[in-house]
Amino acid sequence: MESNQSTPMLRQYHELKQKHPGTLLFFRCGDFYEMFYDDAVTGARELEITLTARNKERGNAVPMAGVPHHSAANHIAKLIKKGYRVAVCEQIEEPIAGAAGKKLIRREISRIITPGTAIDEQLLETKDSTYLAALVGGGDSWGAAFLELSTGEFKTTECTGKDAFKTLTADIESFAPREILFPESLAFVIKETFANSQNNLLTDARLDTASNEQSNVVNFPVKSTNQNGLTATLTPLDDWLFLDDYCEALLKNHFGVLDLAGFGLKDKTQAVRAAGACLRYVQETQRASASHIADLDYFEANEFMVLDQVTLRNLELVESQTGDKRRSLLGVIDSTVTSMGSRLLKSWLLRPSIRRGEIEARLSAVDELCDSMLRERLRVLLKEVADLERLIGRLNMNTATARDLLALRRSLAQIPNVRQTLAEAGSSLLQVLQENLHELPDIRNLIQTAIGENPPLNLADGGTIRDGFNNELDELRGLSRDAKQTIAAFEEEEKKRSGIATLRVKFNGVFGYFIEISKSNLSRVPADYERRQTLVNAERYTTPQLKEWERKILGAEERILELETEIFQTVRTQVAAETKNLQTTARALATLDALASLSENSCRRNYVRPKLHDGDEIEVKDGRHAVVEVFLNQPFVPNDLYLNNSTDRLLIITGPNMGGKSTSLRQVAIIQILAQIGSFVPAQAARLPIVDRVWTRVGASDDLASGRSTFMVEMTETAAILHNATPKSLVLLDEIGRGTSTFDGLSIAWAVAEYLHDAPEHHAKTMFATHYHELTELAERLPGAQNYQITAAEKNGEVVFLHKLERGKAEQSYGIAVAQIAGLPRTVLNRAREVLERLERYEIDVFADVVENKTATADNQVTSKDAHEANGLGAAVRRAARGKMAMQATLFQSVNDSLIDEIRQTRIEDLSPEAMRKFILDLQKKIV
């Protein structure tokens, strides 16, 4: 809070801070960026730096913490990665010598850095995209936009209908933005959707606009995580920033068009609102036009296969369950040699295509690149290409350095050779990419002639512009070099004239050039020397001649730096003028790299080209798990699989623990996903349809922060599948119902499987792995269900896992055998076998006892004439039940609710012996 005793500088700080709530203000004071008050407390804690205080001696101490300006970027990066927003305040004028304390230095916010608008190298992962998202709408109409500021990638979409919000939420999860913008009026909805109960504070990110009223939204912190693992900073903005007309005008002005129809945005109001808010936020925070955002791509939500965060995690597509990116599918298939290619490949994996033509084009390109000479030639050339996408972004944000321009020139120098290499390409995609590569010889020549070979990191250090590029600069440099030589000669002459061998001509920023003479030699100082400064051990002097040379030298050096800055900025602007062609070239190079990577991986790991078709059959011959086979210490056992939407749409997979049920499920999904990104697949052969979504429900996990148990998480994920799966979806269910009691879990698993089989709008191709062996009955009851098993064998009392997927049903799960392998004590294992034997006996007896109890009344109430026969029939029921259960002790046969209800509701005493005989026979048939 501002004190009445605040200094002018602190009042300046308060004024800037009030304009930028929700930020940590880095306030430049000389060589440091300082934070004050609550910002200082937060900054000191998060950065682990010293918290001190200002004005302690006056009794109104102000908390203060600071970092050196030269290391500020690393500290800011640390805060941004934690979800904070940082406003950088610079001094826009130099302090006047001798005027300390007399004049307040002018300061302004140069930039606001947020998690979604990072462009500095310290804030970016080279292989990951950093998206800013905006979400707007209400009811049955919602829009979203996604902007990658470092590269200029800009996409927008909208959805209508009762599931519009859920659809866009899935899109947001697939892009995994670092920051989500939304109107303040939607704060409650967004918080409920994207924030968990223990971390649901929002960042008030009001822009510096005409309205700077404080809101009730808490400033810090920052990051929020939803139930599916999406972590993002939630940033509410004033509602008026999402107004239709305002956003439309902003986009038209930025892209220089009269109408947005050319971007596919005709009558797409929500998409326009979201895109406009994104662009406005970037312009305001970066204090720049961001002209490298040169295009806006409208897409429909159904243009990609949907993979939500649950599926990404369960299939370990981008990182393993332990967080190891190398042991993920992306880690295995990513053999790219550029950062651009790696990011593009990841985006393909997160959003596989559902357009068959696009997929086939990629597959044909990958196929042609299997020519090792062609592929290796391209990869050698691509290794010399810099991250052009982000370099172009820095160019347009005026942060590109001279070294960036040299990297651009080296990259463009590869284009002629790449074009020549692709000159004879046969696939249509490679031909298109070759045509999209622009050599830009004028730009290469400009950089070559203007920028020195080894420019300094900082422009202020001088030497950025090459000799011979600018006549005035060459003359000034010559004058500077000659003057310095003259100064050196002057020093030698003065040594001889005065006889003082230790005389030195020196320079500093305060006094300029001066002659320094030690106290012991003062008696020899020439009479024409003018004293400038007295030190403890020496005196400093000047002469009229030295003053004149100083004026020329310093004037030349100041003008050299000024001129170099002007020239460099001109060159940078000229290069930036080719942004459109540079971006097209960068995109083509990234695509080439991604395709070559897929081809490299396919050739190295013996993948085959999948055959895509318009039907519904998934047919895989000797399929393998792309990741497991790489890290397995023994040969991977391949498996065949067949799925369709009629006879084989529900596969019930049983088998032992550790047998490979989960691996079989995942490998089918991975093969399908690889095919739809345009990759070859790990199999001997594969016929595949186009799938709109892969759903997974695998494993057990808590969400304690939201108060959700393991079973609640399981049921929530299962519910999402049941409500949204379509006949074009692929569903993987692993151990449904294991999070609750046996009877409850089995009942739910049975009902879920039936629903996915029977519901016309939801009967997706489903693989259902389970330890509930009772579910194998579904194959006998449902026309589209089939039993599969992961085989195992017992040899000399030991279980041998064969890892082979075959038709049929497993007899047991070998759980105790797995426990033995895991090292459980022998006494525990022996006791487990005893308990298992008792439980199995109990299971067999359950239904027989129920039947016996239900028929006791009949045995007691029939006439004496029929008593013997009735008792015999009752015994027959018990024998039939026990006999059947001895053959197959399935829980659903032993406690079949429908049969029990039928027995309970039948008045046995009213049946004649013939009717009872018929009743028992019918009962036996149903039990069998």
Side-chain angles (χ1 to χ4, degrees):
M1 182 176 293
E2 185 175 358
S3 167
N4 292 330
Q5 300 179 8
S6 291
T7 63
M9 188 189 76
L10 285 179
R11 286 196 293 272
Q12 184 184 51
Y13 170 86
H14 283 297
E15 181 181 343
L16 292 169
K17 178 68 177 175
Q18 288 173 0
K19 292 180 179 180
H20 302 282
T23 65
L24 290 170
L25 181 56
F26 269 43
F27 192 76
R28 183 69 179 267
C29 296
D31 291 336
F32 281 80
Y33 286 104
E34 300 288 0
M35 292 171 282
F36 299 104
Y37 301 100
D38 290 344
D39 284 11
V41 175
T42 301
R45 180 186 68 244
E46 299 291 356
L47 297 175
E48 300 179 346
I49 58 177
T50 301
L51 177 66
T52 182
R54 182 185 177 92
N55 299 336
K56 287 187 290 187
E57 67 284 353
R58 300 179 185 176
N60 59 335
V62 175
M64 180 174 71
V67 298
H69 75 93
H70 58 79
S71 63
N74 292 328
H75 288 96
I76 291 172
K78 187 173 183 180
L79 290 170
I80 297 302
K81 288 176 181 178
K82 291 188 175 187
Y84 290 93
R85 306 169 71 250
V86 176
V88 180
C89 175
E90 298 287 2
Q91 297 175 174
I92 60 172
E93 61 182 3
E94 293 296 327
I96 299 174
K102 298 180 181 179
K103 182 177 182 295
L104 181 63
I105 299 171
R106 285 198 301 138
R107 294 178 174 88
E108 289 182 1
I109 301 296
S110 62
R111 186 174 159 214
I112 300 173
I113 307 169
T114 78
T117 60
I119 60 172
D120 299 315
E121 292 184 19
Q122 297 93 333
L123 301 174
L124 300 171
E125 297 292 336
T126 58
K127 294 188 175 185
D128 291 336
S129 297
T130 299
Y131 286 105
L132 170 71
L135 182 61
V136 65
D140 293 343
S141 180
W142 290 84
F146 306 92
L147 174 58
E148 221 287 8
L149 181 59
S150 71
T151 65
E153 179 188 357
F154 198 11
K155 296 178 179 291
T156 189
T157 185
E158 73 173 42
C159 288
T160 57
K162 65 177 183 178
D163 294 324
F165 185 71
K166 289 183 178 179
T167 301
L168 280 191
T169 299
D171 279 329
I172 288 174
E173 288 183 0
S174 73
F175 279 91
R178 304 286 179 86
E179 184 174 9
I180 303 174
L181 312 176
F182 54 90
E184 255 186 341
S185 57
L186 292 178
F188 179 79
V189 174
I190 301 302
K191 183 175 72 172
E192 288 295 306
T193 304
F194 293 104
N196 64 41
S197 60
Q198 290 193 0
N199 194 6
N200 58 10
L201 301 182
L202 308 183
T203 301
D204 180 4
R206 298 288 186 92
L207 299 178
D208 182 12
T209 63
S211 172
N212 283 310
E213 299 176 2
Q214 296 295 307
S215 76
N216 293 322
V217 183
V218 180
N219 287 347
F220 298 110
V222 249
K223 278 193 176 180
S224 293
T225 306
N226 77 341
Q227 63 191 37
N228 291 334
L230 172 66
T231 299
T233 296
L234 304 180
T235 305
L237 303 177
D238 288 334
D239 282 23
W240 70 266
L241 292 167
F242 291 84
L243 291 175
D244 307 0
D245 293 342
Y246 174 79
C247 291
E248 182 176 352
L250 183 72
L251 292 171
K252 288 178 180 178
N253 181 65
H254 178 81
F255 293 114
V257 297
L258 297 176
D259 193 284
L260 296 178
F263 297 97
L265 293 174
K266 182 178 177 58
D267 299 325
K268 303 294 184 182
T269 302
Q270 302 291 16
V272 169
R273 294 175 66 197
C278 256
L279 184 60
R280 162 74 178 186
Y281 187 71
V282 163
Q283 291 175 343
E284 289 293 326
T285 57
Q286 305 305 300
R287 301 297 199 264
S289 63
S291 54
H292 67 298
I293 304 174
D295 199 5
L296 178 57
D297 178 26
Y298 177 81
F299 69 95
E300 295 286 354
N302 60 1
E303 289 183 16
F304 307 101
M305 178 197 293
V306 179
L307 300 170
D308 59 20
Q309 288 292 315
V310 173
T311 299
L312 294 177
R313 183 176 67 249
N314 288 337
L315 296 181
E316 299 180 305
L317 294 187
V318 294
E319 66 179 27
S320 71
Q321 299 281 10
T322 62
D324 187 347
K325 294 184 178 181
R326 295 172 303 170
R327 290 178 175 264
S328 67
L329 179 59
L330 181 61
V332 167
I333 68 172
D334 187 358
S335 298
T336 56
V337 294
T338 71
S339 299
M340 303 183 295
S342 183
R343 291 194 300 272
L344 180 60
L345 183 60
K346 183 178 179 180
S347 74
W348 288 354
L349 190 60
L350 292 175
R351 291 175 293 282
S353 177
I354 63 170
R355 295 190 289 261
R356 183 175 172 185
E358 180 178 54
I359 299 169
E360 294 282 14
R362 290 180 191 171
L363 287 171
S364 295
V366 170
D367 200 353
E368 185 166 1
L369 289 171
C370 283
D371 180 323
S372 59
M373 291 185 63
L374 172 62
R375 185 177 70 254
E376 283 305 312
R377 173 63 175 160
L378 276 176
R379 285 166 60 81
V380 167
L381 294 171
L382 290 171
K383 285 179 181 179
E384 301 301 316
V385 175
D387 192 342
L388 294 185
E389 289 179 332
R390 285 182 169 165
L391 194 157
I392 295 163
R394 293 195 295 275
L395 266 177
N396 286 271
M397 301 298 290
N398 296 322
T399 61
T401 66
R403 295 181 183 183
D404 284 332
L405 293 185
L406 291 185
L408 174 60
R409 178 178 61 81
R410 287 193 297 270
S411 300
L412 291 176
Q414 310 307 315
I415 302 302
N417 291 330
V418 174
R419 285 178 56 83
Q420 183 178 0
T421 302
L422 295 174
E424 302 301 323
S427 73
S428 60
L429 180 53
L430 292 182
Q431 292 172 2
V432 170
L433 294 176
Q434 196 251 18
E435 293 170 358
N436 285 335
L437 294 171
H438 300 283
E439 299 184 16
L440 301 175
D442 292 343
I443 293 298
R444 286 159 45 199
N445 184 63
L446 173 63
I447 298 172
Q448 172 70 30
T449 56
I451 308 299
E453 280 300 320
N454 296 296
L457 185 60
N458 297 314
L459 191 62
D461 293 336
T464 294
I465 305 303
R466 186 187 293 271
D467 288 340
F469 184 74
N470 182 276
N471 292 333
E472 182 184 356
L473 182 61
D474 290 344
E475 291 175 2
L476 290 168
R477 284 174 172 170
L479 178 61
S480 178
R481 284 192 296 269
D482 293 344
K484 289 179 180 179
Q485 292 173 358
T486 302
I487 291 293
F490 173 78
E491 181 181 88
E492 291 301 318
E493 291 176 2
E494 292 304 304
K495 286 180 181 180
K496 292 178 183 179
R497 182 163 76 97
S498 64
I500 304 173
T502 57
L503 179 149
R504 293 288 184 271
V505 177
K506 296 183 177 181
F507 172 85
N508 68 32
V510 176
F511 292 99
Y513 285 96
F514 53 83
I515 301 168
E516 186 170 285
I517 298 176
S518 62
K519 290 286 179 93
S520 60
N521 289 301
L522 294 182
S523 60
R524 299 183 183 182
V525 173
D528 59 337
Y529 277 26
E530 301 174 16
R531 181 178 280 107
R532 298 199 67 176
Q533 186 183 19
T534 299
L535 304 178
V536 175
N537 297 316
E539 293 283 345
R540 291 174 173 175
Y541 300 89
T542 187
T543 67
Q545 187 179 19
L546 186 58
K547 287 180 183 179
E548 178 61 21
W549 285 335
E550 177 185 35
R551 184 185 64 78
K552 292 181 179 180
I553 294 171
L554 294 183
E557 290 181 349
E558 182 178 344
R559 177 56 183 157
I560 286 172
L561 181 57
E562 181 182 285
L563 191 55
E564 279 205 73
T565 301
E566 292 174 1
I567 294 171
F568 177 74
Q569 291 175 344
T570 300
V571 171
R572 188 166 61 185
T573 300
Q574 287 179 284
V575 175
E578 291 289 344
T579 290
K580 191 72 174 179
N581 287 332
L582 286 170
Q583 287 179 323
T584 301
T585 299
R587 183 70 177 183
L589 291 170
T591 306
L592 279 173
D593 190 20
L595 293 170
S597 173
L598 292 177
S599 181
E600 175 78 9
N601 185 67
S602 297
C603 294
R604 187 192 312 162
R605 307 196 191 284
N606 194 30
Y607 289 8
V608 298
R609 179 172 180 171
K611 295 181 180 179
L612 301 182
H613 60 87
D614 296 325
D616 59 26
E617 296 174 304
I618 294 179
E619 186 175 7
V620 178
K621 175 69 174 175
D622 285 341
R624 313 187 305 275
H625 192 294
V627 181
V628 173
E629 73 167 347
V630 172
F631 296 100
L632 200 62
N633 294 324
Q634 59 193 41
F636 187 92
V637 178
N639 283 302
D640 299 345
L641 186 90
Y642 181 77
L643 274 164
N644 62 27
N645 280 74
S646 53
T647 60
D648 295 71
R649 65 172 174 263
L650 174 63
L651 307 190
I652 305 298
I653 303 173
T654 53
N657 287 294
M658 289 183 60
K661 295 191 301 297
S662 296
T663 299
S664 296
L665 264 64
R666 289 180 172 95
Q667 80 180 41
V668 173
I670 287 174
I671 286 172
Q672 184 70 50
I673 290 168
L674 283 174
Q676 287 188 226
I677 71 170
S679 171
F680 285 16
V681 300
Q684 182 179 325
R687 290 182 62 251
L688 303 170
I690 302 297
V691 167
D692 65 358
R693 184 161 189 166
V694 173
W695 295 92
T696 63
R697 169 49 238 167
V698 178
S701 61
D702 287 319
D703 184 6
L704 298 180
S706 298
R708 304 193 312 157
S709 66
T710 298
F711 185 62
M712 185 61 180
V713 172
E714 177 184 336
M715 290 298 97
T716 300
E717 294 177 2
T718 303
I721 296 172
L722 298 184
H723 285 301
N724 297 289
T726 74
K728 288 189 175 182
S729 299
L730 174 62
V731 176
L732 311 178
L733 299 176
D734 195 1
E735 304 302 344
I736 290 293
R738 300 293 285 184
T740 186
S741 69
T742 302
F743 287 3
D744 281 354
L746 180 49
S747 301
I748 292 170
W750 184 285
V752 166
E754 280 188 338
Y755 182 84
L756 286 170
H757 177 280
D758 295 341
E761 70 275 26
H762 299 302
H763 59 58
K765 288 177 281 290
T766 303
M767 298 181 69
F768 199 126
T770 183
H771 282 293
Y772 291 134
H773 293 271
E774 296 77 14
L775 294 185
T776 57
E777 282 189 42
L778 288 170
E780 301 173 15
R781 295 168 177 259
L782 304 177
Q786 301 290 338
N787 282 327
Y788 276 78
Q789 62 173 319
I790 297 291
T791 55
E794 290 190 64
K795 185 176 182 181
N796 300 325
E798 300 290 331
V799 178
V800 178
F801 300 112
L802 303 179
H803 305 293
K804 197 68 179 175
L805 182 65
E806 297 179 349
R807 288 186 179 270
K809 52 189 177 184
E811 296 299 327
Q812 55 179 308
S813 295
Y814 298 101
I816 294 177
V818 174
Q820 181 176 348
I821 295 173
L824 264 65
R826 184 175 298 277
T827 54
V828 174
L829 296 171
N830 291 338
R831 178 57 177 159
R833 293 188 183 97
E834 293 175 4
V835 174
L836 177 62
E837 184 178 350
R838 289 187 182 184
L839 289 174
E840 288 176 340
R841 284 205 309 271
Y842 171 75
E843 185 177 315
I844 294 172
D845 288 340
V846 168
F847 187 63
D849 290 342
V850 170
V851 174
E852 182 174 1
N853 290 334
K854 293 300 182 183
T855 57
T857 302
D859 291 343
N860 293 330
Q861 294 181 5
V862 295
T863 64
S864 59
K865 176 183 177 181
D866 298 327
H868 179 73
E869 187 173 8
N871 283 326
L873 290 172
V877 172
R878 291 192 291 274
R879 286 195 302 273
R882 286 196 175 101
K884 175 61 181 174
M885 291 181 189
M887 291 187 294
Q888 182 179 358
T890 62
L891 187 58
F892 260 85
Q893 289 164 332
S894 59
V895 288
N896 191 305
D897 291 339
S898 63
L899 295 183
I900 293 174
D901 289 341
E902 187 174 349
I903 294 170
R904 182 184 294 115
Q905 295 167 11
T906 301
R907 292 179 58 84
I908 302 294
E909 63 273 19
D910 294 341
L911 298 179
S912 67
E914 183 61 28
M916 181 174 286
R917 182 180 291 106
K918 184 177 184 304
F919 172 74
I920 297 300
L921 289 173
D922 290 341
L923 197 62
Q924 282 182 315
K925 291 178 181 179
K926 292 177 181 178
I927 292 174
V928 173

